Amino acid sequence: MGKLVIMDHPLIQHKITLIRDEKTVTKDFRDLVQELAMLMAFEVTRDLPLKDVQVQTPVSLAKAKVLSGKTVGIIPILRAGLGMVDGILSLVPDAKVGHIGLYRDPDTLQPVEYYCKLPTDAQDRDMIIVDPMLATGGSAIGAIELLKGHGIKNIKLVCLIAAPEGVDAVQKAHPDVDLFIAALDEKLNDHGYIVPGLGDAGDRLFGTK
Ligand code: PRP
Ligand code: URA
């Protein structure tokens, strides 16, 4: 079974409370989602490979380490995942960014794919899928299947708020994928929205409602 990491650092909990608040306006919501993604990226990238190097300090030669290999790819699930990309890029500026376009059919709640563009060297990278919301899990499972279909093996999923139903579904379908979340909420409502959640993440990020 993949890891489930609930990142409950005080700064993360504080910012999650602010994005839940219906009074938080679009600009602040967008800034907070980026900040949360950056804080989470710190832990998500903990096992990146390093190699030994030497560096000349003003005092002496130092044995040191730098990231080794091609490191990371970031895959936002459109639209709302876009809001998390810059936060991760601020810590891992060399990461490449692919995009997967999925929307939830409002009646069936099934994900519908409309776009996919991945880095050409995606198989050599650790892929981090980002999406603020993990509700039924359908979109995340669809995105993971797409990446696996392209031969990608090292996949992590990073979401801000998750429903227990979505966590179970992802862990059952893809037990090899580690899942990082900032909050595990109570349940889904009849429309597939997370309770208490934060409403529609895409609409709140882009001001479309
Ligand atoms: C939201 C969210 C996830 C998905 C989660 O996207 O950003 O991608 O729903 O739901 P699930 O776990 O039940 O699949 P939405 O389909 O509303 O598209 P949008 O980001 O374009 O608004
Ligand atoms: N997508 C959202 O944006 N919010 C939810 O609560 C569920 C799916």
Side-chain angles (χ1 to χ4, degrees), residues 22-37:
E22 63 179 4
K23 293 195 288 301
T24 298
V25 298
T26 301
K27 182 196 176 298
D28 295 342
F29 188 92
R30 201 181 289 142
D31 290 349
L32 286 160
V33 166
Q34 265 196 46
E35 290 163 14
L36 280 159

Side-chain angles (χ1 to χ4, degrees), residues 1-7 40 44 129 131 134 140 144 155-164 166-171 174-182 184:
M1 184 68 71
K3 272 194 300 195
L4 170 64
V5 182
I6 303 175
M7 299 190 54
M40 292 181 79
V44 173
I129 300 176
D131 192 331
L134 180 65
I144 295 167
I155 303 171
K156 291 175 176 153
L157 174 64
V158 183
C159 302
L160 301 185
I161 299 184
V167 171
D168 287 349
V170 169
Q171 288 192 319
H174 297 288
D176 54 316
V177 172
D178 290 341
L179 172 52
F180 297 80
I181 62 176
L184 182 59

Side-chain angles (χ1 to χ4, degrees), residues 3-204:
K3 272 194 300 195
L4 170 64
V5 182
I6 303 175
M7 299 190 54
D8 58 358
H9 187 285
L11 290 175
I12 291 180
Q13 291 192 50
H14 181 83
K15 289 176 194 295
I16 286 286
T17 302
L18 296 178
I19 59 169
R20 287 188 193 279
D21 189 339
E22 63 179 4
K23 293 195 288 301
T24 298
V25 298
T26 301
K27 182 196 176 298
D28 295 342
F29 188 92
R30 201 181 289 142
D31 290 349
L32 286 160
V33 166
Q34 265 196 46
E35 290 163 14
L36 280 159
M38 184 186 69
L39 290 169
M40 292 181 79
F42 195 72
E43 185 62 27
V44 173
T45 53
R46 176 176 285 283
D47 56 2
L48 283 181
L50 292 168
K51 66 179 177 196
D52 294 325
V53 292
Q54 290 197 329
V55 63
Q56 180 69 52
T57 79
V59 179
S60 75
L61 206 56
K63 287 183 182 166
K65 292 184 188 293
V66 290
L67 293 173
S68 121
K70 291 193 171 153
T71 72
V72 168
I74 307 168
I75 309 288
I77 301 180
L78 306 180
R79 286 175 302 169
L82 287 173
M84 297 174 70
V85 173
D86 285 348
I88 300 186
L89 278 176
S90 64
L91 286 194
V92 198
D94 288 344
K96 293 205 175 160
V97 182
H99 296 85
I100 292 180
L102 291 172
Y103 70 88
R104 280 201 322 180
D105 181 294
D107 298 322
T108 65
L109 299 182
Q110 290 305 304
V112 182
E113 181 193 334
Y114 61 90
Y115 188 76
C116 178
K117 181 82 179 172
L118 303 176
T120 47
D121 58 359
Q123 288 102 329
D124 303 331
R125 292 176 180 265
D126 284 355
M127 284 294 163
I128 304 176
I129 300 176
V130 292
D131 192 331
M133 309 305 275
L134 180 65
T136 64
S139 304
I141 290 169
I144 295 167
E145 275 164 9
L146 249 170
L147 293 190
K148 287 187 174 175
H150 283 80
I152 295 163
K153 294 200 175 65
N154 296 317
I155 303 171
K156 291 175 176 153
L157 174 64
V158 183
C159 302
L160 301 185
I161 299 184
E165 294 89 332
V167 171
D168 287 349
V170 169
Q171 288 192 319
K172 269 202 192 94
H174 297 288
D176 54 316
V177 172
D178 290 341
L179 172 52
F180 297 80
I181 62 176
L184 182 59
D185 274 14
E186 195 186 321
K187 60 178 183 185
L188 293 178
N189 69 14
D190 294 342
H191 304 287
Y193 273 80
I194 300 175
V195 181
L198 53 71
D200 188 305
D203 283 339
R204 295 200 60 190

